[in-house]
Amino acid sequence: MAILKIARLGHPVLKRRAEEVDNPSAPEIASLVEDMVDTMIDSGGVGLAAPQVHVSKQLVIFHVPLARTVDERYKDAGLDEDEGKVPLTVMINPVIEPLGEDKAVAFEGCLSIPDMTGAVSRHTHIRYRYTDLEGRLVEGEAKGFHARVIQHECDHLEGVLYPQRIEDMTTFGFSEEIRKYALGRDDTEEDE
Ligand code: NI
C-alpha cells in the first residue's frame, strides 16, 4: 500500500495531455492502479486521474460508493435513486463522446484543488470506450453523476481542470462558503 502525493493546481503535470498507455496489462500499470486506489480512498475522492499523482499517462479510476451521500458538494449532481453505486472502474486510454445535446450544471470538486468547488456544465449522457487492466476493450454508456465523473476524470488526461469549464465564475469558491451561502437555498436549483 502506498499513498501517493497529489499534484495541485498550478503543477505543470496537470496542464499537459497525458500519454497513451502502450501495454495496459503491464505489471507496473497494475501497481500504479493499486497505489492510486489507496490514494483515492485515503483522500475521500470519487475519482483520480494518473496525472494527479504525477504520472502523465492516459489512466483514470473512479467509484461512487455511496452515491448521493458521498459528499455534500455532489447533492446537486442530478442523481437518480436507481443510479446508486458505481463500482471501482479503471479506464486506460479512454475515449468518450456525448450522446445527445442535454447538459446539466452541478458543483464539482477536485483533489488537486482542495477545499474548493464550482458549478460545471457537463453532458448528461455519454458513450465511453477504454481498455481494462487485462487488456480487454470495454464499451458502454453512462448517465447523470456517473457520466459527470467520467468527463471530469477524462478532462484531466487532456490537461483540463474543472475551473476551466465553469461558465459562471461567481459559483467558484471555497466549499464551506458555497455550501453555506449557495447550496443552502434550494437543493435542486442547479440541476438543469
Ligand atoms: Ni479532478
Side-chain angles (χ1 to χ4, degrees):
M1 168 165 170
I3 292 166
L4 305 170
K5 188 177 181 206
I6 295 177
R8 300 205 302 175
L9 178 66
H11 195 291
V13 74
L14 297 172
K15 297 181 190 175
R16 67 175 83 109
R17 183 171 198 275
E19 286 173 19
E20 293 237 331
V21 176
D22 292 332
N23 181 6
S25 52
E28 61 264 30
I29 296 298
S31 146
L32 169 66
V33 166
E34 256 181 54
D35 291 346
M36 284 176 64
V37 170
D38 291 342
T39 305
M40 180 178 73
I41 289 168
D42 177 69
S43 54
V46 295
L48 190 65
Q52 290 183 277
V53 293
H54 306 85
V55 177
S56 193
K57 288 190 188 304
Q58 297 268 333
L59 189 157
V60 304
I61 65 170
F62 59 85
H63 67 156
V64 184
L66 289 169
R68 257 177 209 280
T69 56
V70 65
D71 191 304
E72 287 283 316
R73 288 177 307 208
Y74 300 122
K75 278 195 170 170
D76 278 358
L79 277 176
D80 296 327
E81 293 292 345
D82 62 354
E83 270 186 298
K85 300 172 183 175
V86 177
L88 179 68
T89 305
V90 179
M91 291 185 163
I92 299 167
N93 302 330
V95 178
I96 59 173
E97 59 176 302
L99 287 171
E101 304 292 311
D102 286 355
K103 291 182 123 186
V105 175
F107 281 87
E108 295 187 9
C110 181
L111 295 174
S112 295
I113 313 169
D115 304 323
M116 300 200 76
T117 188
V120 182
S121 177
R122 301 280 188 192
H123 296 284
T124 56
H125 193 184
I126 61 163
R127 192 201 318 270
Y128 58 78
R129 188 171 72 241
Y130 66 91
T131 305
D132 71 10
L133 281 169
E134 278 77 45
R136 294 175 299 221
L137 193 65
V138 180
E139 290 181 291
E141 292 180 18
K143 287 182 179 174
F145 184 68
H146 186 193
R148 175 173 298 276
V149 173
I150 294 173
Q151 289 168 88
H152 176 114
E153 297 311 328
C154 288
D155 261 358
H156 277 295
L157 305 181
E158 300 296 328
V160 174
L161 297 172
Y162 80 81
Q164 291 161 258
R165 301 275 191 203
I166 297 175
E167 287 166 12
D168 175 1
M169 280 305 283
T170 67
T171 67
F172 187 48
F174 289 98
S175 307
E176 198 182 329
E177 277 72 11
I178 296 287
R179 259 199 295 272
K180 193 168 166 188
Y181 299 109
L183 297 183
R185 290 177 310 199
D186 178 351
D187 238 8
T188 57
E189 69 177 5
E190 308 288 343
D191 251 353
E192 301 302 317

